[in-house]
Amino acid sequence: MRRHLAIRGRLLWFEADPAFAGEAALRFIEDGIVLIEAGIIKAVDEARVLLPQLTREVTLVDHRPHLVLPGFIDPHLHMPQTQVIASYGTELLEWLQKYTFPEESRYGDPAVSAAAARFLFDELLRNGTTTASAFCTSHPESVHAYFTEAERRGLRMIGGKVMMDRGAPPALLDTPQTGYDQTKAAIERWHGRGRLSVAITPRFAPTSTEAQLEAAGALAAAFPDLPIQTHLSENEAEIAYVRELFPWSDDYTAVYERYGLVRRKALFGHCIHLTERERAALADHQASAIFCPTSNLFLGSGLFDLAAAREAGLRVGLATDIGGGTSYSMLQTAAEAYKVLALRGEKLTAFEAFHMMTAGNAEAIGLAGTIGQLAPGYEADLVVLDSRATAALRRRMQRAETLAEELFALMMLGDDRSVAATYANGKCVYDRLNTGPRLPERGDQLASAGRPQGTEAAQQ
Ligand code: GUN
Ligand code: ZN
């Protein structure tokens, strides 16, 4: 007999971008149920409507008073940088040479890659992130480890073999041909298997020769539906270097355009110092700019201009950029996004931020309609948030009178401690009060308040 799951809590999701649609974008059910069958959301409604319909084969998990949202999505991070995070004192180009490239050089070792993949997914799930788009390293071993671990856990993940054929230690370099072949092999092996997708991943223009960018463009043409991920316009010295390396190009974006790498589902990390022409070109091609605030602050790269991106009609995602970024938490990432924008005189409401972390990022990575909302037919990836998880949050919440206030305080003060549980593919993959992944069983009796109550629906 197949078991079904009913998750009860304060349900919150977004059907549109509140930056444009206002509060009409928001769906909130104070006491609701998400009914899940075989990893897919079957129904979402008020508890009073769904409770009487639950049969004996449904396990009801009561997360009240916690919020239940679509799982967070992190559209830009680096799987081999979990031991680079928090490395002192450099800007981008020196940081790459001094810390990042030596560390990534270790990932040809399958054991190193496997341990890093395990750590990364543990950490993402602990932070409520159920989908990420990750750069592996140039080594096929890192790609193998990443997808093997994601598949084992039933996660929806995007990853890519980094293509880089210059400007780094020999242990990290491929060639235009091997970069092409290894990416193609990864696509054939992993793309579309379970919930996995492969992204074509030229690291950035400075570490690829024109021959390699051409090879990446050939892959993009051969696989028109694949995501592409790279970096763009992060740092002034990087931009000057690109000007030197590609003297024929009018600007940085035009290098990628020339090789057919700017299109729908092309994710450009950073996009801080773009010109108006570049923003318009990215928007015309339906590409996505990925805002990585903790990284941009940590590396002193600059302040992303959200208003200019919106003005240009450019889709924007919000990401951690581990390990240039300094937090695995999308809540903390949103908090730093708010502060970056404050320094520019721009605003980010809590509704906009929570939309970005869920449906907005789903749209940015081309997965709208699959993940990012609580609606029938969507994959059942969920995060359960405790907005009173810490003493500071509890005290602040005594003065929070609206949902907007609660969410804003949660994003400013919250982190992994606010993630009460994470569900992926309809299963509990993280439960803060248990030590490991857990699927509630029939008749579970759990004592402490706020803890999921595995209760037999038919006994209600
Ligand atoms: N540009 C090229 N590679 C990287 C990287 O690993 N991190 C960041 N932040 N920028 C990059
Ligand atoms: Zn990056």
Side-chain angles (χ1 to χ4, degrees):
M1 181 173 57
R2 183 184 286 151
R3 306 285 306 231
H4 308 315
L5 203 56
I7 310 287
R8 185 172 185 178
R10 300 166 66 223
L11 312 184
L12 172 67
W13 74 102
F14 295 88
E15 292 181 338
D17 185 347
F20 302 102
E23 294 202 12
L26 170 85
R27 295 292 311 275
F28 180 65
I29 303 179
E30 176 65 41
D31 181 7
I33 283 181
V34 182
L35 184 61
I36 299 167
E37 197 179 307
I40 302 294
I41 297 176
K42 287 291 165 196
V44 180
D45 211 327
E46 302 274 355
R48 66 181 160 74
V49 173
L50 286 180
L51 274 175
Q53 300 174 22
L54 301 183
T55 60
R56 280 196 68 85
E57 61 178 19
V58 178
T59 300
L60 178 67
V61 186
D62 191 349
H63 283 290
R64 289 175 301 166
H66 299 337
L67 293 157
V68 177
L69 287 86
F72 293 143
I73 299 167
D74 186 345
H76 183 117
L77 61 78
H78 296 260
M79 169 268 211
Q81 294 182 12
T82 55
Q83 292 177 305
V84 172
I85 188 170
S87 293
Y88 177 76
T90 52
E91 285 198 3
L92 175 65
L93 297 179
E94 191 190 346
W95 174 83
L96 287 171
Q97 297 292 342
K98 183 170 174 180
Y99 300 114
T100 308
F101 291 162
E103 173 66 12
E104 292 193 8
S105 297
R106 302 169 57 232
Y107 279 70
D109 180 343
V112 170
S113 282
R118 280 196 301 274
F119 175 84
L120 177 71
F121 291 129
D122 281 348
E123 196 61 18
L124 291 180
L125 296 175
R126 225 163 55 73
N127 281 279
T129 298
T130 48
T131 292
S133 188
F135 290 63
C136 299
T137 66
S138 50
H139 312 98
E141 292 83 355
S142 71
V143 179
H144 182 81
Y146 177 83
F147 283 120
T148 301
E149 190 61 24
E151 181 175 57
R152 193 177 73 74
R153 298 178 190 228
L155 305 177
R156 177 165 283 288
M157 289 286 163
I158 302 173
K161 177 222 134 51
V162 167
M163 301 172 76
M164 51 192 299
D165 67 346
R166 66 168 165 185
L172 275 186
L173 297 184
D174 54 15
T175 69
Q177 190 63 50
T178 60
Y180 181 97
D181 292 344
Q182 291 166 356
T183 302
K184 189 153 179 286
I187 294 167
E188 284 162 359
R189 170 125 196 215
W190 295 109
H191 188 73
R193 181 165 155 168
R195 300 206 293 156
L196 309 177
S197 305
V198 173
I200 299 163
T201 308
R203 181 175 208 116
F204 70 155
T207 47
S208 286
T209 61
E210 297 201 34
Q212 180 161 78
L213 291 172
E214 204 172 316
L219 284 165
F223 299 99
D225 213 34
L226 251 63
I228 297 170
Q229 57 184 353
T230 187
H231 298 86
L232 171 63
S233 200
E234 178 175 3
N235 164 291
E236 299 282 7
E238 170 209 20
I239 296 164
Y241 192 33
V242 168
R243 208 175 290 126
E244 252 175 62
L245 292 170
F246 303 89
W248 49 263
S249 191
D250 287 342
D251 53 47
Y252 195 163
T253 302
V255 175
Y256 295 132
E257 284 177 271
R258 160 86 195 265
Y259 293 104
L261 297 168
V262 183
R263 67 176 187 194
R264 207 183 132 258
K265 290 205 236 178
L267 317 179
F268 291 93
H270 307 297
C271 293
I272 297 169
H273 308 283
L274 298 177
T275 63
E276 263 181 57
R277 188 213 78 78
E278 291 178 287
R279 280 192 197 93
L282 293 169
D284 279 354
H285 291 290
Q286 301 179 54
S288 300
I290 309 296
F291 176 19
C292 307
T294 70
S295 171
N296 300 159
L297 293 169
F298 179 73
L299 293 172
S301 302
L303 306 175
F304 184 82
D305 191 342
L306 180 62
R310 283 180 177 158
E311 182 71 19
L314 175 54
R315 198 177 285 126
V316 176
L318 176 69
T320 63
D321 191 29
I322 294 298
T326 51
S327 175
Y328 292 87
S329 165
M330 288 301 296
L331 296 171
Q332 280 300 291
T333 301
E336 299 308 287
Y338 178 88
K339 296 174 201 170
V340 164
L341 295 168
L343 284 168
R344 297 199 69 102
E346 299 179 21
K347 289 276 183 274
L348 181 70
T349 69
F351 290 155
E352 289 166 12
F354 277 85
H355 165 264
M356 269 186 165
M357 294 182 247
T358 56
N361 278 343
E363 180 145 354
I365 62 176
L367 288 172
T370 302
I371 53 172
Q373 291 195 39
L374 303 184
Y378 279 75
E379 293 177 355
D381 293 346
L382 314 174
V383 58
V384 181
L385 293 177
D386 177 0
S387 49
R388 291 172 178 77
T390 65
L393 274 165
R394 281 190 292 280
R395 184 154 176 83
R396 174 62 182 89
M397 289 307 166
Q398 290 172 359
R399 292 283 182 278
E401 287 174 3
T402 64
L403 180 63
E405 274 186 78
E406 176 182 349
L407 292 176
F408 187 67
L410 178 58
M411 89 188 206
M412 297 310 297
L413 301 176
D415 51 32
D416 56 306
R417 294 169 294 175
S418 280
V419 175
T422 306
Y423 292 82
N425 207 22
K427 297 190 175 78
C428 183
V429 288
Y430 171 73
D431 174 355
R432 183 165 149 73
L433 295 180
N434 270 329
T435 45
R438 156 178 192 277
L439 182 63
E441 290 302 331
R442 186 181 274 250
D444 268 3
Q445 294 299 317
L446 302 172
S448 54
R451 200 161 180 173
Q453 301 289 310
T455 316
E456 204 53 55
Q459 294 170 357
Q460 287 282 296

